[in-house]
Amino acid sequence: MRVWRQLTDFVARHKSAALITVHDVKGSAPRETGAHMVVRPDGAFHGTIGGGQLEFRMLDIAREMLAQGRGPARIVDQALGPDLGQCCGGRVKILIETFGPQDLEDLAGLAEVEARDRLFEVACRFEEGRVRREVSSSVGDGPRAGWRETHGEARTPVLLFGAGHVGRALVLSLAPLPFAVRWLDAREDAFPSYLPSNAKAVRMRDPEAEIAEAEPGSLVLVMTHDHPLDMAITAAALKRDFPYVGLIGSATKRARFEKRFRELGLSQGKIGSLVCPIGLHGIADKDPAIIAASVTAQLLQVREKVMKD
């Protein structure tokens, strides 16, 4: 979730909004430090700090604070078991802040940095009961009597070749997730009129150049309307060290492609790294939406492994 964009929008539309942040965690808790919720004056919200009694109580406090008008921030210290009857057993500190029209300039500045689709650090400190934030250009110790927050999204780049039924379903499935999709197809009018904000449609001219220019760490999915084109794109992708190269198709298609890849001089290691069929094992339904859900789960697994390595 883009926290600062959401806050800016809520304040601009509704004249006030609250930000609920998991400020500190000790032991087991529903969400990690830095999880957020953005709350409107009428109680509608975006994001989650984990649900359950903790979330309900923090929403009640945020609404009370909004009803009182823009004021000082508040830190609420909760033991999840004794205080709330939650089984996590840990302890959390929750930071709740309110914002009004006078904060729009600062909120818009943070939203502008957030829109660059990268992680960024913010140095924070209390000033007259409110949190003052300054975007930091370097990683280091936080300010005295203060702390640092990390905001933004580290989106994993995805090259998706093909705008057929499965390609369309996959773009929708990836829409709310931390991926940046470059969606490629050579055909005119291949793309729908609406695209999610994390997807960019590109009329493909030179697929091998797209592979050559792709960011390291990109995830590649090949599902065009043309098998020779699939072959060329997949071979080019396997020559690079992408963490995931997936090709739509059956085991029979894979066997035929493997024979051609060997003729092209690709090593068995490279050929063996190809994911085909795509998606999680055990899901056999060929409905495009189900394939998309299965592949999305697979990409999330790959993303998590890459981020840990």
Side-chain angles (χ1 to χ4, degrees), residues 98-202:
T98 54
F99 300 86
Q102 58 267 62
D103 300 306
L104 276 172
E105 183 176 348
D106 289 339
L107 293 174
L110 289 165
E112 182 179 351
V113 179
E114 183 181 55
R116 297 171 190 167
D117 284 337
R118 62 174 178 80
L119 295 176
F120 64 99
E121 280 202 334
V122 178
C124 308
R125 66 180 184 273
F126 281 113
E127 266 188 17
E128 299 179 352
R130 294 185 59 81
V131 178
R132 177 175 176 80
R133 290 179 171 86
E134 295 176 351
V135 176
S136 174
S137 59
S138 62
V139 177
D141 294 332
R144 187 170 296 176
W147 67 97
R148 286 180 180 266
E149 296 175 340
T150 300
H151 291 279
E153 294 178 308
R155 292 180 179 266
T156 299
V158 174
L159 267 68
L160 173 57
F161 292 89
H165 295 303
V166 176
R168 290 183 177 221
L170 185 56
V171 166
L172 293 176
S173 182
L174 296 174
L177 301 174
F179 295 99
V181 182
R182 186 171 175 84
W183 194 12
L184 300 126
D185 200 291
R187 297 169 294 175
E188 291 185 15
D189 303 322
F191 301 105
S193 56
Y194 169 79
L195 289 178
S197 60
N198 69 334
K200 179 180 180 181
V202 178

Side-chain angles (χ1 to χ4, degrees), residues 137-304:
S137 59
S138 62
V139 177
D141 294 332
R144 187 170 296 176
W147 67 97
R148 286 180 180 266
E149 296 175 340
T150 300
H151 291 279
E153 294 178 308
R155 292 180 179 266
T156 299
V158 174
L159 267 68
L160 173 57
F161 292 89
H165 295 303
V166 176
R168 290 183 177 221
L170 185 56
V171 166
L172 293 176
S173 182
L174 296 174
L177 301 174
F179 295 99
V181 182
R182 186 171 175 84
W183 194 12
L184 300 126
D185 200 291
R187 297 169 294 175
E188 291 185 15
D189 303 322
F191 301 105
S193 56
Y194 169 79
L195 289 178
S197 60
N198 69 334
K200 179 180 180 181
V202 178
R203 177 81 183 280
M204 183 171 58
R205 305 291 184 185
D206 186 345
E208 293 190 23
E210 290 284 349
I211 292 293
E213 295 166 8
E215 294 180 46
S218 295
L219 311 182
V220 180
L221 281 149
V222 185
M223 49 183 71
T224 78
H225 62 289
D226 181 86
H227 277 208
L229 184 57
D230 280 355
M231 175 80 73
I233 296 170
T234 306
L238 289 174
K239 290 175 183 176
R240 289 196 55 184
D241 292 321
F242 295 123
Y244 178 95
V245 178
L247 170 68
I248 198 168
S250 63
T252 301
K253 180 176 179 180
R254 180 187 181 112
R256 290 176 179 173
F257 275 43
E258 283 189 355
K259 181 175 182 296
R260 179 58 180 148
F261 293 153
R262 285 191 289 270
E263 292 171 355
L264 292 172
L266 284 170
S267 70
Q268 191 55 46
K270 289 285 190 180
I271 295 170
S273 70
L274 175 66
V275 180
C276 178
I278 53 174
L280 299 180
H281 295 296
I283 300 177
D285 197 305
K286 295 182 180 179
D287 182 276
I290 294 176
I291 295 172
S294 175
V295 172
T296 297
Q298 190 173 54
L299 295 184
L300 286 168
Q301 289 179 334
V302 174
R303 180 180 188 272
E304 186 154 335

